[in-house]
Amino acid sequence: MKKNILTVFGLTSFFVISIFALTVVSPSSSTSAYANASGSPGSRTGSPGDLSSCNACHAGILNPGSAIATITSASLLSGYTPGQTYTISAGITGTTSNKIGFEATVERDLNNAKTGSLIITDAVRTKTTNFGNAVTHNSTAGTTATAGANAWTFDWTAPVAGTGAVTIYGSFNATNGNGSTSGDQVYTASFNVIEGGVGIDEINSIADIKLYPNPAKSYLHISSNDRVENMKIYNLKGQQVLDVNEPQMLINIEHLPAGMYFVELSNTNQAIVKRLMIQ
């Protein structure tokens, strides 16, 4: 009888220890969730090169619509100058979360390769990840949200001439505070940047291309002595809202909301940028 009791006790102890061990190492346990509070593991920006966002680890709805995530840079609205350094802001508003993290990266549009150099300007709240190819939050200070909002800044040095347009991608995780990876809300944002090199006014002077009326409402006319092979329109967030190959002289823009835009017109020899106001 004593032998049977000892056997039962031994088996019970084995199962308790086994369950404890599984709890500690399980990737879905709270240990894993808290580990990411110190930063994303990398490749979670939602970019074409990374192929995944924060919801690769945090089970939740992607872009549920209750908040707004943005990536912006006022100095990049007219494009980047190769080799110059720019400040980029990434943020999210409109959540109920008190702990929010993020990861952001920059990729070349042509082949989705990481491009330029990322520079940490706030070491208390941000750090690099993915072998220096992305920026993420750092420690509790970097994830603490105020009124359901959080924001970060970092610098980016533009790549060499000829790289072409790039896009800054970001993924944001608004946690629900349950201590696990379930039930969080993940948002993504992007900011497209054309390759410039000179100011907008200088670019506009190199070719006699006219856009009218400006301000416009429903249609935009293009007048040029040179052939225009492509037209792209970007909003003030740097997001591409229209892309037309071989544009005709009359372009329908009635689906675009009122506001300020940048119009990039290009052919094999050059590209120019024009400001456009839509009423």
Side-chain angles (χ1 to χ4, degrees), residues 11 24 72 96 104 108 132 138 156 163 166 171 179 199 205 210 212 214 219 232 249 258-259:
L11 289 173
V24 171
T72 61
T96 57
R108 186 184 183 192
N138 185 22
W156 173 72
T163 299
V166 304
S171 180
S205 67
K210 293 184 175 65
Y212 62 92
N214 193 1
Y219 292 92
K232 292 183 174 69
M249 294 299 102

Side-chain angles (χ1 to χ4, degrees), residues 3-226:
K3 182 177 180 180
N4 290 339
I5 292 174
L6 291 174
T7 299
V8 171
F9 177 79
L11 289 173
T12 302
S13 300
F14 172 78
F15 282 118
V16 169
I17 293 172
S18 299
I19 291 172
F20 175 78
L22 287 172
T23 302
V24 171
V25 302
S26 170
S28 62
S29 69
S30 60
T31 301
S32 174
Y34 284 124
N36 284 347
S38 62
S40 167
S43 300
R44 300 291 188 271
T45 65
S47 72
D50 289 337
L51 296 177
S52 64
S53 61
C54 293
N55 68 345
C57 299
H58 295 265
I61 302 173
L62 182 63
N63 294 318
S66 58
I68 299 175
T70 58
I71 294 179
T72 61
S73 177
S75 56
L76 284 171
L77 289 174
S78 59
Y80 69 85
T81 299
Q84 295 297 306
T85 299
Y86 302 89
T87 297
I88 297 170
S89 299
I92 183 171
T93 59
T95 79
T96 57
S97 175
N98 60 10
K99 181 175 287 188
I100 305 172
F102 88 111
E103 184 187 347
T105 193
V106 186
E107 292 181 359
R108 186 184 183 192
D109 287 3
L110 181 64
N111 56 8
N112 301 324
K114 307 297 183 185
T115 189
S117 301
L118 294 168
I119 303 169
I120 298 301
T121 56
D122 183 359
V124 175
R125 305 189 70 248
T126 59
K127 67 179 184 179
T128 59
T129 187
N130 193 15
F131 306 101
N133 290 314
V135 177
T136 185
H137 57 272
N138 185 22
S139 73
T140 302
T143 60
T144 301
T146 302
N150 205 355
W152 308 262
T153 59
F154 55 92
D155 282 357
W156 173 72
T157 300
V160 298
T163 299
V166 304
T167 300
I168 309 165
Y169 298 92
S171 180
F172 304 80
N173 181 38
T175 67
N176 62 1
N178 68 356
S180 74
T181 59
S182 64
D184 298 333
Q185 293 185 338
V186 176
Y187 297 83
T188 57
S190 63
F191 183 94
N192 189 262
V193 185
I194 61 174
E195 181 177 355
V198 291
I200 289 181
D201 291 336
E202 295 175 294
I203 293 174
N204 289 345
S205 67
I206 67 175
D208 185 22
I209 294 180
K210 293 184 175 65
L211 297 177
Y212 62 92
N214 193 1
K217 289 186 178 180
S218 300
Y219 292 92
L220 180 65
H221 295 262
I222 301 175
S223 175
S224 173
N225 294 326
D226 298 324

